[in-house]
Amino acid sequence: MLDTPEAVVEALRENNERPHGLQRTVTAEELAEAAEPFEEPDVLVTALLELMAAYEFTGEHRKSPVVFARLLKLWEDSPEAFSQWEAHQVFWRFKWVTTSLLQVPDVPLATVQGWIGRMSGFYEAAGHEVQPVAAMRYHLAAHTGTGADDAFDLWATRPRSELSDCEACETRYLAWHRVSAGDDAGALDSWRPVLEGAQACTEEPQMSQARALLPLLRTGRADEARSHHLTGYRRVRGNTGMLDEVGLHLEFCALSRNEGRGLEILAENRPLFGTTGAPLALLGFLTGVEVLLARIVGDGHGAAAVAGPPGRNWTAGELLAHVRGEAERLAAAFDGRNGTTAVGDRRRARLAQLPLCEEPLPLGLRSPVVRSEAPEPSPAAGAGAAVPEVPEDFAGLVREARRLGATGHPGAARLWTRVEDRLAAGEAPGDGLGPGELLSAELAEHRALVLSREDRGGRSVSELRQAAELFGRAGAPWRMLSARARALAWESVPDEDGEGAGSAEGAGPDGPGAFRAALDEVLHEAERLKEREPLTGGPAAGADDTTGGPGQERVLEYLTVLFSRAFAAYQEVTAAPEGAQAAAMERFEECVGALRSEAEGLGVPHQVANARQFAADLAFRRGDAAEAEEELRAALVDVESSGRPWRGSRPRVLLAQALLARSEPGEASELLHRAIGEAVRYDDTEFPLAPAYALLGHAATHLGDAAGAVRHLSEAAARFDRDGALAEAADIRLQLADVLARDGQQADAVAVLESVLAGGADGVLDERMLAQARLTLARGLRELGEHLAAAEEFLLLADAVAGWEEDGPILTMVAADAATALAEAERWEAAEAAYERAVEAHAQAPNPAAVTAMMGEFARLVMAGRGPGGLDAALGHLARADEVRTAVPEDAEDFAHWYVAGMIHYRRARVLAECERFAEALAEAEASVAAHEEGGENGEEPRAEAVRIAALIEGNGLGRYAQAVTRLTEAARRCRHAGLEEAARILGALRQDFLNREGS
């Protein structure tokens, strides 16, 4: 019942502890109404201030000035009803009203100007400095676009006063003024205290983070932009008081080519379309939506389903039209009110922006890919002939594809796709390209390659068989044999059951033996063909020359037959059971040796390099890293001499893997950068970019380059997404989150983990990885102080691991963590239930370290919540912790008796000291010091903290400064000897403080 002032005040206190949102606002309205009838107005003053704050922080700017008008009337009639803090708030909230009036186009400009004048008179009458008034005049000028520079100078040159906006907010205004003037670098320099965390408030850094995103991108600071998007968006999502900021994050997604991420944000913030209390902020939100949707519709996805205002389904095109109409109406209303075009101009400037990234900026988040097909690379995109020019003439296109195919240039694949597309569109091949079967065979080869990338082994083999038949009919026997050999080699790749993808052609399903026999028969046919058509080539004849010719073709196709035998032998030896290893190894050495010797004799170094790579991989598998590295380095020398530099990317990646395993990340990083660069330069669509970026991320981690690791792991995850490898993408994101957390970027790590778990991770991660991800997320949320969210994750995890019979202690640990998080969130009833669940779990599956830590934390939190009234409960928790500890055998593994005993004594000392039972507290602190003493080197740091508490109790509590100084002197010396310089500094500072007090 709210029928007494005391009841309303208590309800106001409870409401003040709720997060800003609909529930808090509705309750504040009810409490203001309940306070109205009381004879004394002091409760009504408090209730109205609470209601105004609720409106301010949920974007209800239409209502806020009405509440303030009531407060001013009370101020004039009953100033004694205002406490000192409440009186200060009256002056402070004049600024809120000004910004609220600017938000509503129905309020005439003269009214806003008049209000600022009233604020100025109010301040001057009370003797307050008028810098805040100058700030309001600047906001008005910036909004209307009239006299903004002069108003800025009048505000920014005045000294701050006690009623000035907080430093973080003023920093935002200063920086945004520079952005508006086109000075991104200067703005970011101004923003540094906020973006680096030195200045903060209720609204910061999230408001500045949203505004700094595009300046960061425009100045090339993409890593920082990524981080501020990850951390800043978490703080504004779904917040009706942060409409502008959500719109800026949507705009960032569009201009960083992360349209899929933008659609996710749109779906998460669907209720924001219905907000009406802050029209100017709504215009900012709608403009951000429009920037995103214009990109999506412009890329040809106008029919895609998107999230719009609730009540109906929307396509991107429909929502774009709706949003555009609403935004134009609002912009026109503001410009009409202001008598300028400033608001509309700002909107049009945002809509005119082009993407700031050539490729999607990797964010590290799991998001759907919404993008048009990548454009064909321009010939100018690479150096020299790295990216082939695409002839317009059809015959020229085919000849260029053949030329590149003869050299093995990866750019041939794109040209063959173009050939196939043009034939499908009805274009006739024309004369001069040889038999029709030849072109059909070449296209079948191309389709086989595409299908092999998609892991469609059976279909790719069928295409190669068709190619072999067509080559035979076209009178190209060498190419026929090459295609047959490759079909057999691809078919030999074992499936999940260890069998080949199918039976060898004409040999029956007899496993490796059938493939061996069939490939040997192809080789025999090639040897017979050599007798009729002798091979020519070698270095002098240009076997690796790019001019083509029959001699080159025979050499290359013959070596392809040998390569296919070596490839099949490699598949056999890697899959052979233990009893068949010797025979398989003998076959492998024979086939690889034949490839290498023939390639050396014919002067084809890139095939020598292939033989070396087979040998290197097998050396890795048997643990001979030195031989593997030697072979790979030699293979790279062969590639350099081959005239086919695009063939160096794979051996470089393999060598980088070897170097990473040997803890040499520096050279590994250089190799990976070059491998990726050349794969992109030569348009090698077969190169595994995602795994290469993942390795590069690991190398950066080992080099201590956290920013580089984040960049490369984010790129790897995005590429795995595009390849449909969702499990690999999720695994990389878990690694990314770990890198971020270890680098102190906990909020970034949490954002990444949330994206992993939000999108159906149950079907992507196995239960162990899923549990680890949830545990890491819960701990990250706890570190960020988001205790309720952390508790929810811990509870979900507890339910997930409850059935792990062999890992019962994990459930005990998770239940204990959940209990502590709930207690931190002051959800005591749920916390106590989780506490008992942890105790029960411990009885079934002991985890004494987790349970005693929980009990110690409960003792701390009970005292924090209840003060001295919680003493008995706190001591009870510590007594239970002692019972758990003493029940653990002294020789138990993974349980440090000394540490837990020291923790319990330390916590009991602090609890007793808070209740001014100093003598008992000192005894407990000294017991903690003695317990940590038993830990040797590992106990030095917690021992130093126990000494600090003992000295504080002895000095501040018992007034024995000299004894405390002696204690601190010895402890600081001990810390310096142990290399604990920070601990020594803290103890030394306290010692000096006590010396000063003792001498005064």
Side-chain angles (χ1 to χ4, degrees):
M1 294 290 290
L2 299 174
D3 52 0
T4 66
E6 293 75 18
V8 173
V9 168
E10 181 59 31
L12 285 167
R13 187 178 294 111
E14 291 177 4
N15 198 43
N16 189 55
E17 294 173 357
R18 292 190 177 102
H20 284 291
L22 181 60
Q23 181 184 1
R24 178 167 173 172
T25 300
V26 170
T27 303
E29 289 173 335
E30 293 171 350
L31 293 175
E33 186 177 346
E36 188 81 41
F38 300 137
E39 184 176 342
E40 296 298 326
D42 52 343
V43 178
L44 180 58
V45 168
T46 305
L48 291 173
L49 285 168
E50 165 63 22
L51 178 57
M52 189 177 180
Y55 286 153
E56 176 72 16
F57 292 108
T58 55
E60 290 288 354
H61 293 287
R62 290 183 184 275
K63 299 178 180 179
S64 185
V66 177
V67 178
F68 192 69
R70 294 178 65 189
L71 278 167
L72 275 187
K73 184 67 169 61
L74 287 169
W75 174 263
E76 292 168 356
D77 294 343
S78 306
E80 72 284 353
F82 290 73
S83 68
Q84 184 177 354
W85 179 84
E86 290 168 339
H88 177 80
Q89 286 298 302
V90 171
F91 289 93
W92 184 271
R93 295 189 187 191
F94 260 98
K95 299 177 295 180
W96 290 10
V97 174
T98 303
T99 53
S100 290
L101 295 175
L102 283 176
Q103 281 279 341
V104 183
D106 304 342
V107 176
L109 200 62
T111 300
V112 183
Q113 293 165 335
W115 179 259
I116 295 174
R118 185 177 181 187
M119 175 183 173
S120 177
F122 209 81
Y123 272 46
E124 289 176 358
H128 290 299
E129 297 293 332
V130 294
Q131 189 260 14
V133 178
M136 294 304 104
R137 291 198 171 106
Y138 165 68
H139 292 323
L140 174 60
H143 171 69
T144 61
T146 303
D149 288 337
D150 290 341
F152 177 83
D153 290 340
L154 287 172
W155 161 58
T157 56
R158 291 177 181 268
R160 286 174 46 78
S161 73
E162 64 172 342
L163 288 170
S164 297
D165 281 326
C166 78
E167 286 188 283
C169 289
E170 288 206 341
T171 294
R172 178 176 77 249
Y173 306 145
L174 290 165
W176 194 242
H177 183 78
R178 289 188 166 184
V179 171
S180 301
D183 182 9
D184 286 336
L188 292 170
D189 187 56
S190 296
W191 252 320
R192 184 178 292 115
V194 173
L195 297 181
E196 293 181 357
Q199 295 175 359
C201 69
T202 306
E203 298 176 329
E204 290 293 349
Q206 58 268 34
M207 293 182 78
S208 288
Q209 285 177 311
R211 285 161 176 74
L213 292 172
L214 296 186
L216 286 166
L217 276 188
R218 287 193 292 259
T219 54
R221 293 161 63 173
D223 291 342
E224 293 169 75
R226 176 197 301 111
S227 176
H228 288 304
H229 170 65
L230 294 183
T231 60
Y233 173 66
R234 290 188 71 252
R235 294 185 174 106
V236 304
R237 63 183 173 196
N239 188 337
T240 56
M242 293 282 174
L243 284 163
D244 253 329
E245 289 66 33
V246 175
L248 290 167
H249 282 280
L250 288 167
E251 180 180 59
F252 166 78
C253 290
L255 300 183
S256 66
R257 296 187 184 271
N258 281 284
E259 294 90 344
R261 167 68 170 166
L263 290 180
E264 286 186 338
I265 291 176
L266 198 60
E268 288 180 333
N269 293 277
R270 195 175 187 185
L272 298 187
F273 283 102
T275 57
T276 59
L280 185 60
L282 177 61
L283 174 60
F285 168 69
L286 293 176
T287 303
V289 174
E290 189 175 351
V291 172
L292 173 69
L293 293 174
R295 290 287 314 154
I296 292 169
V297 172
D299 278 349
H301 301 291
V306 298
R312 57 162 287 187
N313 296 325
W314 297 87
T315 66
E318 291 168 344
L319 184 57
L320 175 59
H322 171 77
V323 165
R324 182 168 288 158
E326 287 294 302
E328 287 177 349
R329 180 185 62 78
L330 280 171
F334 278 108
D335 284 344
R337 188 267 302 269
N338 299 336
T340 68
T341 61
V343 173
D345 290 344
R346 284 192 288 269
R347 174 175 173 273
R348 286 183 284 273
R350 289 177 68 182
L351 295 173
Q353 296 173 106
L354 296 175
L356 297 169
C357 304
E358 292 186 8
E359 293 289 329
L361 174 67
L363 300 177
L365 304 175
R366 181 184 179 191
S367 295
V369 179
V370 180
R371 214 171 41 252
S372 59
E373 291 298 317
E376 297 281 352
S378 163
V387 178
E389 186 172 357
V390 181
E392 288 299 322
D393 170 62
F394 186 81
L397 176 64
V398 173
R399 291 190 187 100
E400 181 66 2
R402 285 172 174 171
R403 184 185 73 82
L404 292 177
T407 69
H409 193 297
R414 192 180 295 275
L415 300 189
W416 282 121
T417 298
R418 180 65 66 87
V419 170
E420 196 162 38
D421 289 344
R422 288 175 67 168
L423 286 172
E427 189 158 355
D431 299 326
L433 295 176
E437 292 89 351
L438 178 61
L439 182 57
S440 296
E442 290 166 325
L443 290 171
E445 274 189 315
H446 169 63
R447 288 193 297 272
L449 182 62
V450 171
L451 289 165
S452 72
R453 292 184 206 137
E454 298 173 358
D455 202 21
R456 298 180 185 177
R459 288 179 59 190
S460 62
V461 167
S462 296
E463 291 287 354
L464 276 174
R465 286 178 180 165
Q466 182 184 358
E469 181 182 341
L470 289 166
F471 279 131
R473 285 164 32 194
W478 281 109
R479 298 189 72 175
M480 176 190 71
L481 291 175
S482 168
R484 282 178 57 194
R486 279 178 285 146
L488 289 164
W490 290 8
E491 200 173 11
S492 73
V493 178
D495 59 20
E496 293 180 358
D497 298 322
E499 303 295 335
S503 61
E505 183 180 353
D510 298 327
F515 293 114
R516 285 198 300 269
L519 281 163
D520 286 346
E521 177 56 34
V522 174
L523 178 59
H524 293 153
E525 289 186 42
E527 297 291 351
R528 290 192 291 270
L529 187 57
K530 271 201 314 183
E531 295 175 3
R532 299 196 304 273
E533 300 180 10
L535 300 179
T536 57
D544 261 15
D545 188 60
T546 61
T547 58
Q552 177 193 0
E553 179 179 298
R554 293 168 191 165
V555 168
L556 294 180
E557 303 300 356
Y558 172 65
L559 289 175
T560 299
V561 171
L562 291 173
F563 175 85
S564 299
R565 290 175 75 243
F567 179 85
Y570 167 80
Q571 297 298 330
E572 182 181 347
V573 77
T574 56
E578 192 170 339
Q581 278 284 336
M585 189 66 191
E586 184 178 348
R587 167 78 176 181
F588 173 79
E589 290 175 347
E590 184 270 319
C591 292
V592 171
L595 171 64
R596 180 169 174 175
S597 63
E598 289 288 342
E600 288 175 337
L602 291 167
V604 184
H606 80 265
Q607 285 287 18
V608 179
N610 287 337
R612 292 187 187 280
Q613 287 179 71
F614 282 129
D617 189 270
L618 220 57
F620 269 132
R621 289 173 180 269
R622 64 171 181 262
D624 191 344
E627 180 185 343
E629 183 179 339
E630 181 181 349
E631 291 284 5
L632 288 169
R633 291 191 186 278
L636 286 171
V637 173
D638 292 329
V639 168
E640 290 295 330
S641 66
S642 73
R644 302 185 178 203
W646 51 84
R647 290 188 175 273
S649 293
R650 284 163 183 76
R652 285 191 179 91
V653 170
L654 292 172
L655 181 55
Q657 284 180 287
L659 293 169
L660 281 174
R662 214 173 65 191
S663 298
E664 295 186 25
E667 187 182 356
S669 179
E670 293 173 8
L671 287 164
L672 289 164
H673 275 294
R674 184 170 176 187
I676 291 169
E678 292 195 346
V680 172
R681 180 185 178 203
Y682 294 108
D683 195 23
D684 188 351
T685 55
E686 290 184 75
F687 181 76
L689 280 168
Y693 274 111
L695 284 172
L696 192 53
H698 297 156
T701 301
H702 290 300
L703 287 168
D705 178 11
V710 169
R711 190 180 315 121
H712 302 316
L713 291 174
S714 297
E715 182 71 41
R719 289 185 178 274
F720 276 127
D721 280 341
R722 287 178 230 170
D723 295 340
L726 300 184
E728 289 83 353
D731 180 56
I732 291 295
R733 288 191 172 95
L734 296 185
Q735 297 175 42
L736 172 60
D738 181 62
V739 170
L740 288 165
R742 285 190 283 110
D743 190 51
Q745 300 179 69
Q746 193 61 254
D748 300 59
V750 162
V752 171
L753 289 166
E754 285 178 336
S755 82
V756 171
L757 293 170
D762 289 345
V764 175
L765 299 172
D766 65 43
E767 65 174 3
R768 297 278 169 173
M769 289 181 68
L770 185 60
Q772 183 59 54
R774 202 171 291 286
L775 177 63
T776 308
L777 173 58
R779 288 175 171 171
L781 289 165
R782 180 175 63 193
E783 188 169 325
L784 292 177
E786 298 180 31
H787 299 295
L788 186 57
E792 290 171 357
E793 293 296 335
F794 280 127
L795 291 170
L796 286 170
L797 181 57
D799 292 340
V801 305
W804 294 7
E805 294 181 6
E806 71 279 16
D807 289 316
I810 293 178
L811 173 60
T812 306
M813 174 196 72
V814 173
D817 280 337
T820 303
L822 286 164
E824 289 273 17
E826 298 184 2
R827 301 297 178 90
W828 283 103
E829 186 175 346
E832 286 161 7
Y835 182 105
E836 294 304 328
R837 182 183 185 184
V839 171
E840 291 170 11
H842 173 69
Q844 300 298 318
N847 191 331
V851 171
T852 53
M854 172 191 73
M855 292 168 172
E857 283 298 286
F858 263 68
R860 176 181 69 83
L861 292 167
V862 164
M863 291 300 295
R866 302 185 203 169
L871 177 62
D872 290 342
L875 293 175
H877 289 303
L878 294 171
R880 294 183 77 174
D882 264 329
E883 290 172 7
V884 172
R885 179 185 65 81
T886 55
V888 180
E890 286 295 329
D891 59 351
E893 295 183 6
D894 300 323
F895 186 79
H897 270 274
W898 64 267
Y899 178 79
V900 177
M903 179 275 291
I904 295 170
H905 285 301
Y906 171 84
R907 184 54 57 200
R908 191 178 285 119
R910 297 201 63 160
V911 164
L912 290 166
E914 285 182 52
C915 296
E916 300 187 1
R917 291 166 58 170
F918 298 120
E920 297 167 81
L922 181 59
E924 289 292 333
E926 290 176 333
S928 179
V929 173
H932 289 306
E933 189 91 33
E934 296 176 17
E937 291 183 4
N938 293 331
E940 286 298 330
E941 195 162 357
R943 179 189 183 279
E945 170 59 13
V947 170
R948 186 183 74 86
I949 291 300
L952 284 169
I953 294 168
E954 194 164 34
N956 292 341
L958 298 173
R960 296 173 359 202
Y961 292 117
Q963 292 91 326
V965 167
T966 301
R967 187 189 298 275
L968 290 165
T969 302
E970 187 277 332
R973 179 197 59 75
R974 182 167 174 154
C975 285
R976 283 190 291 273
H977 181 74
L980 301 174
E981 295 300 329
E982 180 62 13
R985 185 192 65 77
I986 292 170
L987 294 174
L990 181 58
R991 173 183 177 275
Q992 187 60 49
D993 181 50
F994 281 171
L995 284 172
N996 293 342
R997 292 198 211 177
E998 189 180 19
S1000 62

